C-alpha cells in the first residue's frame, strides 16, 4: 500500500482545526489510513477536568469504529500545525488498533509502533464477562 504522507499531514491539520482546546490552546489533529484504504480523522477534545480530555488519536479510533472498524496502517499527528509524536497512552491505543507494524509519521519519517513502543502491553483476548 502506498501512503501519501503529505496528504495525511494535511488531513491532520484539517482535523486540528476542529479541536476543542480552550484550556491548553494546543489544537491537535490526527489523520490515519486503514489497511483497506479508508481515511480516518480525529481531534483533541479538552475538558476542564483534564483527566477526561480526549486525545486526537482517541477520536481517530472512534472514527475507525463508527465507520466499519478495521486496522490502522498509518497515522500522522499534528499539534498547532507541526508534526508531533503520540503520547505513551495513545501509542498503546494505536498498538491495539494498528499493531506493531502500524506506521507513525515522526518528523517526516515513517516509524513503526514497535519502535515507538517496544514493550507494549499485549492485546490478548480476555474471556467474555471476565471483568478484566
Amino acid at each position: 500500500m502506498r501512503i501519501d504522507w503529505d496528504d495525511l499531514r494535511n488531513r491532520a491539520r484539517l482535523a486540528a482545526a476542529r479541536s476543542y482546546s480552550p484550556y491548553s490552546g494546543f489544537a491537535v489533529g490526527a489523520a490515519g489510513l486503514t489497511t483497506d484504504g479508508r481515511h480516518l480523522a480525529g481531534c483533541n477534545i479538552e475538558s476542564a477536568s483534564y483527566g477526561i480530555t480526549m486525545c486526537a488519536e482517541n477520536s481517530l479510533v472512534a472514527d475507525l469504529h463508527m465507520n466499519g472498524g478495521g486496522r490502522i496502517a498509518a497515522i500522522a499527528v499534528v499539534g498547532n500545525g507541526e508534526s508531533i509524536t503520540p503520547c505513551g497512552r495513545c501509542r498503546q491505543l494505536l498498538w491495539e488498533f494498528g499493531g506493531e507494524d502500524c506506521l507513525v509519521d515522526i518528523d517526516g519519517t515513517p516509524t513503526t509502533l514497535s519502535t515507538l513502543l517496544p514493550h507494549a502491553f499485549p492485546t490478548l483476548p480476555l474471556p467474555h464477562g471476565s471483568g478484566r
Side-chain angles (χ1 to χ4, degrees):
M1 166 185 298
R2 182 184 170 281
I3 298 165
D4 184 341
W5 290 101
D6 288 331
D7 181 57
L8 278 183
R9 287 182 209 103
N10 287 333
R11 288 173 184 263
R13 285 183 188 93
L14 290 172
R18 297 196 170 233
S19 165
Y20 177 73
S21 47
Y23 305 105
S24 71
F26 194 68
V28 180
L33 185 66
T34 63
T35 56
D36 64 2
R38 289 176 290 130
H39 284 97
L40 308 166
C43 64
N44 62 323
I45 302 168
E46 294 181 348
S47 167
S49 70
Y50 283 108
I52 59 172
T53 290
M54 279 182 51
C55 294
E57 298 89 336
N58 288 136
S59 60
L60 179 135
V61 168
D63 187 33
L64 171 71
H65 281 278
M66 291 295 296
N67 290 291
R71 302 293 287 169
I72 302 168
I75 185 170
V77 185
V78 299
N80 285 353
E82 301 297 322
S83 178
I84 61 171
T85 304
C87 69
R89 175 178 168 242
C90 288
R91 291 176 192 192
Q92 179 65 42
L93 184 70
L94 293 171
W95 181 285
E96 293 191 33
F97 294 95
E100 64 184 319
D101 294 324
C102 178
L103 294 172
V104 181
D105 178 43
I106 304 297
D107 295 325
T109 302
T111 305
T112 63
L113 272 174
S114 61
T115 299
L116 291 176
L117 189 63
H119 303 287
F121 289 100
T123 54
L124 301 174
L126 295 174
H128 180 71
S130 69
R132 299 192 264 170

